[in-house]
Amino acid sequence: MSIEEVLEKLSTSVNGLSDVEAEKRLKEYGPNIIESKRKSPIVIFLRQFWNPLIIILVIASLISIILGELLDSILIIIVILIMGVMGFIQEYKAEKALEALRKLASPTAKVFRNGVLKVIDASRLVPGDIILVEEGDRVPADARLISSDNLEVDESPLTGESTPVSKDHSVVLPADTTIADRANMIYMGTTVLKGRGRGVVVATGPRTVIGGITRAVGEAKEAPTPLEEELEDLGFKLSVIILAIAAIVVATTFLLEKTSIITAALIGISLAVAAVPESLPAIATALLAIGARRMAERNAIVRKLAAVEALGSVDVICTDKTGTVTRGEMMVKYLWTPRGLYEFTGEGFKPEGAVKPVSDTSSIEEARFVGELAIAHTSHSIDLKSVLELATRKSPTELAVYIMGLKIVGVENIEKIKSGYRLVGENPFDRTRKMRSTIHEVSGRLISIVTGAPEVVLKRSTRLLVWPREEELTSGLAEKVMRVVEEYASQGFRTLALAYKYMENPGEDPEQGLVLVGILAIIDPPRESVRRAVEEARRMGVKTVIVTGDHKLTAMAVARMIGLEVSEENVLEGWQLDKMSDEELERVVDKIIVFARVTPEHKVRIVRALKKKGHRVAMTGDGVNDAPALKEADIGIAMGVRGTDVAKEASQLVLADDNYATIVEAIKMGRWIYENLKKPINYLLSCNLGEVATVFGAELAGLPYILEPVHILWVNLVTDSFPALALGLEHPEPDLFTRPPRPRGARLVTKRNLLYLALTGLLIAGFTIGFYAYSLDKGLEYARTVAFTTIVLSEFGRALASRSEKLPFWKLPANKLLYFALAGSTILQLVLLYTPLNKLFHTTPLEPHISIIIGLAPTLALLALDELARRLGTSN
Ligand code: ADP
Ligand code: MG
């Protein structure tokens, strides 16, 4: 359809809808989101029982009900239900945490409402809205273009084709044009690589093309993280062993003890259910999700769960300088021209301040001319009222130039200058060109105004403004200018050259044959928190590398300000990189601390070289061009404030505050969560091995079966749930942030570690079987009660010993959650022994002194073993 037709059909206009109308349509069409198939709580709950072992166990219990063992079987089923509830709580919590994370990353849209441009939550878009999309944006809904300017879009999410697609609002296409060829349409989920465009929204949410695809194929499941894979692998191997043992237990119980086959089966299956560590990946996921939520509270938003564990192993951070290491609140401090020197007062982006001539040869007229150029060059995109909002969204460099102009010409003259220099064209700043130009019409003539990196602008200049005349730019003069630039740069100033030229004809290159006006020296002080964060990173064995488009000397000065020791040999510039082969780069990359004057394309090579050298690399980025490097890095980090949607989509971590210090915080959290996973795993494995060894050992010793099925399930219930999670949230180990990152390929559970855990399992079994055998002459029920209680209470020893690898538990800060969990299971055990419930569980009250002995002995022994292992350094 033609644009007019579309607008009419949707009862809208190029000015957009009114807020009232939009509100009405929102009710009618629903929010602009693609419902991801959220797992309903019921499904999560039911899934807890979707386990062959559990199903067999339930069937066996049902059979035993038929055979008359009514109470026992019902109890088994109740315990299974409680286990299901526990598993559900854990998984539901993880799911909630993930959902909260997804909400944080929700996109925004630029929309015209009542003719005014606003930024709103993309979910509130409705058909008929007029949207604006620009370079770096994610297209928020399906829209028919009504204007376009050099618009290029990446439609790979829809078509799988990654070459940029050019768009054109002016064409009208036949109705059967395929999606890939619809040049006058833009689609939700695609991203704008270049240019800008306006469009009228024609479909939102599930009615968009991507919405249709999502519905058809269902939500893609997040791939398992390496960690989950490791745990699944470990779980599988252990399961095989445990199932084999369980089978032997069934056989011996049935054949040697002459029990009914159903009793034997129930014992064996209960043992399998209890000991197979199928909950390991779930616990890991829950802890990663909890970690991710805590990171989000500290401004580090994880987009993929896998990032939490990957963060923990990072050993090189490649960071942007401007805005990440520095505050990004730039102010032009000096203006240098061939004739004069001017100083500016004020602070950051605050418009208050004035210009002061410093040298005698400075002239107010010259300053005024520079002020006019500066305002003309920047004011079309900046409106003083919204300076602060734009400060965070638009280019801070442009804003600094604007404010400098403002200080010179005064706010009352802005409008006059703006209309005097009518804007007719713009070449936006580009990290690769390192320049920006605007073209204006001034009293019938065309003038181009250029700002950019000094050496780039200098190369394109042929003359120099020596107020009030233009002179030829000789190589001597060019050298003099470069010396000025270097002087400023070495003091940490960002430098920017300003130039202009009158254009003879509209077709000529506006960025060639320029007249250089002067150099702007911009201050952008480092953030206060960065110096400390760099030091923290260093102590953790994480190297900080600055990768910047800025001048080498500026970058070195800033690096020194934040405590990085740099000399010439630690710096590599973009042009040197261009001359190097990948192998040469790999050879030197380890000693480089500052990469200066690099383009986004260089970043990919830097990441590759570092990875080749075995490093785990985190790389920051914000622009469209940064996406490949962000994807290549082990951890891509996008800026939440300055970053484009494209950069965010390519990243695993988004910094809500753009701050380098937040990266270090996130690495610390990642390390903490990952290393802490060892604790619940150690604990669970040794408890499970203890259960298996106890039941199996008693059989081997020719004793009557030691635990009833419901006892085994109960032991599993009280150990598996809360204590395990509580251990995962233990305080960080004392040396966690001062030791080097874990090496590549490090495993959570090592062979030696498993051996040690097996030993603890044997110890638990030894005590339990020993006490059992000793008490047998007081009757089977009494002896089983002793065994049951011993194994439940031995969990104390294992839980306390698992708290830390480095320190005995009493030297650690209290873990209240763990203590509550342990107290809880003790009280439950007392209830099972001393209340009428004991009928159900086939237990008898024990004499208090016996309870105390069987409660303390294994725990003390386990703690002693743990201390011994720690002394010998073999617990890991
Ligand atoms: P950084 O790594 O410090 O963020 P950039 O890649 O943003 O550096 O910029 C590199 C150089 O390009 C700057 O030193 C400056 O001279 C110039 N520059 C940056 N932004 C702009 C802009 N918006 N317009 C013109 N020139 C710019
Ligand atoms: Mg930058």
Side-chain angles (χ1 to χ4, degrees):
M1 282 181 220
S2 71
I3 294 170
E4 293 70 31
E5 253 177 292
V6 176
L7 291 175
E8 202 192 300
K9 259 220 148 100
L10 292 163
S11 325
T12 183
S13 76
V14 291
N15 288 327
L17 301 169
S18 68
D19 282 323
V20 182
E21 177 63 22
E23 212 45 53
K24 218 177 88 201
R25 292 192 189 187
L26 188 60
K27 286 216 185 73
E28 184 181 340
Y29 291 99
N32 176 33
I33 44 175
I34 298 168
E35 262 335 316
S36 56
K37 290 219 182 83
R38 252 196 302 134
K39 291 172 206 143
S40 83
I42 296 174
V43 172
I44 298 180
F45 181 69
L46 289 181
R47 214 179 36 208
Q48 305 303 319
F49 306 100
W50 192 243
N51 168 334
L53 287 173
I54 301 255
I55 293 171
I56 297 173
L57 187 58
V58 171
I59 293 172
S61 314
L62 292 178
I63 294 174
S64 88
I65 289 181
I66 298 167
L67 297 179
E69 303 271 339
L70 190 63
L71 276 182
D72 283 5
S73 311
I74 290 178
L75 193 59
I76 288 178
I77 291 176
I78 289 176
V79 175
I80 291 173
L81 278 177
I82 302 177
M83 275 163 53
V85 172
M86 296 294 198
F88 166 78
I89 291 175
Q90 202 170 69
E91 200 171 314
Y92 190 67
K93 259 182 141 172
E95 196 61 34
K96 278 269 165 239
L98 283 177
E99 204 177 302
L101 283 177
R102 262 181 247 134
K103 281 221 182 79
L104 277 177
S106 72
T108 57
K110 297 176 202 142
V111 61
F112 290 90
R113 294 267 171 92
N114 301 322
V116 183
L117 185 63
K118 286 193 196 173
V119 178
I120 63 169
D121 213 72
S123 65
R124 307 188 61 83
L125 282 182
V126 292
D129 263 327
I130 304 291
I131 52 169
L132 171 71
V133 292
E134 293 174 290
E135 177 175 319
D137 289 347
R138 187 173 172 279
V139 176
D142 289 3
R144 164 70 160 95
L145 288 170
I146 59 172
S147 75
S148 58
D149 177 11
N150 274 323
L151 187 60
E152 281 185 19
V153 181
D154 172 8
E155 290 192 336
S156 53
L158 288 187
T159 59
E161 183 60 60
S162 61
T163 43
V165 186
S166 293
K167 295 289 177 178
D168 182 0
H169 66 284
S170 61
V171 296
V172 176
L173 299 164
D176 59 356
T177 311
T178 55
I179 293 202
D181 295 326
R182 290 186 200 162
N184 53 14
M185 291 286 297
I186 47 176
Y187 294 99
M188 183 180 198
T190 61
T191 46
V192 180
L193 298 175
K194 225 176 168 174
R196 67 180 85 181
R198 286 186 196 198
V200 50
V201 172
V202 298
T204 57
R207 285 170 302 277
T208 58
V209 172
I210 192 99
I213 295 176
T214 312
R215 212 164 3 148
V217 301
E219 190 72 13
K221 212 174 150 235
E222 211 175 292
T225 70
L227 176 75
E228 284 165 332
E229 272 173 7
E230 182 190 338
L231 291 180
E232 254 157 46
D233 178 56
L234 176 73
F236 178 76
K237 285 180 187 149
L238 286 175
S239 305
V240 172
I241 300 171
I242 290 166
L243 286 176
I245 293 179
I248 299 174
V249 167
V250 174
T252 51
T253 317
F254 176 61
L255 295 174
L256 302 180
E257 295 189 46
K258 310 264 186 295
T259 61
S260 74
I261 180 73
I262 209 74
T263 305
L266 281 175
I267 292 174
I269 304 163
S270 298
L271 182 63
V273 167
V276 167
E278 87 291 329
S279 65
L280 279 187
I283 287 205
T285 311
L287 285 172
L288 290 179
I290 292 173
R293 204 173 50 192
R294 291 199 181 174
M295 283 186 192
E297 282 161 15
R298 298 184 192 184
N299 289 324
I301 299 159
V302 168
R303 294 189 65 243
K304 295 228 165 64
L305 223 41
V308 178
E309 61 175 293
L311 266 169
S313 66
V314 163
D315 68 345
V316 179
I317 307 173
C318 294
T319 174
D320 232 3
K321 177 178 64 66
T322 303
T324 311
V325 168
T326 67
R327 282 212 293 259
E329 286 196 8
M330 303 179 192
M331 187 188 92
V332 177
K333 186 72 192 162
Y334 296 106
L335 161 66
W336 176 94
T337 67
R339 283 293 297 273
L341 180 61
Y342 308 83
E343 188 183 341
F344 295 85
T345 59
E347 189 195 317
F349 289 133
K350 295 202 185 82
E352 294 81 25
V355 55
K356 285 190 310 193
V358 179
S359 68
D360 302 341
T361 49
S362 306
S363 90
I364 295 300
E365 289 75 44
E366 181 183 39
R368 273 207 67 88
F369 178 62
V370 171
E372 268 183 29
L373 291 182
I375 295 293
H377 186 54
T378 53
S379 59
H380 57 281
S381 60
I382 295 170
D383 162 27
L384 194 57
K385 280 194 273 328
S386 53
V387 155
L388 281 181
E389 197 214 345
L390 280 160
T392 50
R393 302 193 48 240
K394 275 269 171 186
S395 157
T397 314
E398 278 157 53
L399 193 57
V401 172
Y402 175 79
I403 302 232
M404 175 197 75
L406 190 69
K407 287 173 183 169
I408 299 174
V409 302
V411 66
E412 62 284 359
N413 290 314
I414 302 276
E415 283 310 316
K416 208 171 70 205
I417 296 171
K418 258 172 105 166
S419 48
Y421 286 79
R422 203 172 61 80
L423 183 76
V424 295
E426 175 181 3
N427 297 303
F429 176 71
D430 173 314
R431 289 264 160 64
T432 309
R433 284 188 317 127
K434 293 192 171 35
M435 254 192 326
R436 169 170 182 269
S437 56
T438 51
I439 301 152
H440 310 260
E441 202 186 285
V442 190
S443 20
R445 292 179 79 189
L446 283 182
I447 183 172
S448 127
I449 306 175
V450 180
T451 50
E455 65 272 28
V456 177
V457 176
L458 207 59
K459 235 181 256 155
R460 290 159 177 267
S461 299
T462 49
R463 277 162 299 164
L464 194 64
L465 181 68
V466 183
W467 188 261
R469 282 186 315 280
E470 291 177 4
E471 280 181 16
E472 197 189 330
L473 179 69
T474 60
S475 57
L477 280 173
E479 253 167 50
K480 190 173 154 203
V481 176
M482 274 325 288
R483 273 202 301 280
V484 171
V485 169
E486 277 169 14
E487 177 57 33
Y488 282 128
S490 60
Q491 294 170 39
F493 287 101
R494 259 176 138 233
T495 51
L496 196 69
L498 173 68
Y500 71 92
K501 84 162 172 181
Y502 283 102
M503 290 163 62
E504 301 308 328
N505 58 66
E508 76 182 66
D509 185 347
E511 297 176 344
Q512 275 300 351
L514 302 170
V515 184
L516 187 76
V517 178
I519 301 294
L520 314 183
I522 300 174
I523 45 172
D524 180 18
R527 294 169 183 267
E528 287 74 25
S529 50
V530 168
R531 208 188 152 89
R532 206 187 53 237
V534 167
E535 173 58 21
E536 268 185 333
R538 198 188 55 73
R539 265 189 276 133
M540 284 196 288
V542 179
K543 181 182 167 194
T544 303
V545 176
I546 294 184
V547 180
T548 178
D550 209 341
H551 197 282
K552 161 177 154 183
L553 295 173
T554 313
M556 284 171 75
V558 170
R560 290 198 186 109
M561 283 185 233
I562 58 170
L564 294 171
E565 274 177 40
V566 275
S567 60
E568 284 290 327
E569 56 161 21
N570 308 120
V571 184
L572 202 66
E573 286 188 273
W575 63 269
Q576 293 171 302
L577 244 167
D578 284 331
K579 287 193 187 154
M580 283 182 174
S581 68
D582 287 341
E583 291 72 35
E584 281 168 314
L585 178 59
E586 278 159 38
R587 223 169 298 136
V588 298
V589 74
D590 269 326
K591 63 169 205 250
I592 305 301
I593 297 173
V594 169
F595 289 93
R597 282 296 185 236
V598 293
T599 61
E601 293 73 37
H602 289 132
K603 285 187 174 180
V604 180
R605 289 190 61 199
I606 296 171
V607 170
R608 284 210 187 112
L610 283 166
K611 278 171 75 175
K612 260 277 181 61
K613 297 286 281 188
H615 295 290
R616 294 256 184 146
V617 189
M619 170 67 90
T620 68
D622 47 20
V624 173
N625 304 348
D626 287 329
L630 291 172
K631 281 194 192 134
E632 182 76 35
D634 293 295
I635 290 276
I637 305 174
M639 299 300 138
V641 184
R642 274 181 302 127
T644 55
D645 293 344
V646 175
K648 287 178 197 168
E649 304 252 303
S651 299
Q652 301 187 47
L653 185 72
V654 176
L655 302 181
D657 60 357
D658 289 10
N659 188 344
Y660 165 88
T662 303
I663 305 175
V664 178
E665 248 349 272
I667 291 178
K668 281 165 68 178
M669 293 285 288
R671 217 185 249 200
W672 171 63
I673 290 290
Y674 182 87
E675 295 297 321
N676 261 27
L677 280 173
K678 285 182 188 162
K679 302 175 200 295
I681 292 173
N682 281 351
Y683 166 73
L684 281 179
L685 290 185
S686 76
C687 287
N688 287 359
L689 292 174
E691 289 155 26
V692 174
T694 301
V695 175
F696 192 42
E699 285 301 320
L700 287 186
L703 299 168
Y705 67 86
I706 184 165
L707 293 170
E708 308 239 7
V710 67
H711 295 158
I712 301 175
L713 292 174
W714 184 261
V715 169
N716 185 50
L717 181 67
V718 290
T719 53
D720 262 20
S721 50
F722 292 118
L725 212 54
L727 278 169
L729 298 172
E730 231 359 292
H731 292 267
E733 293 280 337
D735 67 338
L736 186 62
F737 304 134
T738 48
R739 67 182 185 219
R742 67 173 193 269
R744 231 176 231 283
R747 307 213 114 212
L748 271 183
V749 186
T750 59
K751 284 221 176 70
R752 204 166 70 168
N753 186 214
L754 266 182
L755 216 62
Y756 171 73
L757 295 179
L759 197 63
T760 62
L762 286 180
L763 193 67
I764 294 173
F767 273 103
T768 313
I769 298 171
F771 288 157
Y772 173 65
Y774 184 78
S775 330
L776 264 177
D777 51 2
K778 289 200 186 169
L780 206 49
E781 190 168 284
Y782 181 89
R784 283 191 181 134
T785 306
V786 166
F788 178 39
T789 310
T790 309
I791 199 165
V792 166
L793 295 185
S794 68
E795 126 195 37
F796 265 86
R798 278 311 299 147
L800 294 176
S802 302
R803 287 193 59 197
S804 167
E805 290 166 9
K806 300 288 176 219
L807 292 174
F809 78 92
W810 63 85
K811 287 194 183 157
L812 301 169
N815 181 342
K816 288 208 191 83
L817 204 56
L818 181 66
Y819 293 163
F820 275 129
L822 293 178
S825 51
T826 311
I827 292 170
L828 277 178
Q829 190 66 20
L830 294 179
V831 168
L832 294 195
L833 293 190
Y834 298 104
T835 69
L837 270 182
N838 57 18
K839 296 272 167 332
L840 271 177
F841 279 79
H842 304 290
T843 54
T844 51
L846 299 177
E847 305 88 319
H849 72 275
I850 298 286
S851 300
I852 290 172
I853 292 173
I854 64 181
L856 281 182
T859 288
L860 290 178
L862 284 166
L863 288 173
L865 176 66
D866 188 58
E867 189 57 30
L868 188 69
R870 196 177 290 121
R871 296 262 159 95
L872 298 175
T874 53
S875 68
N876 295 289

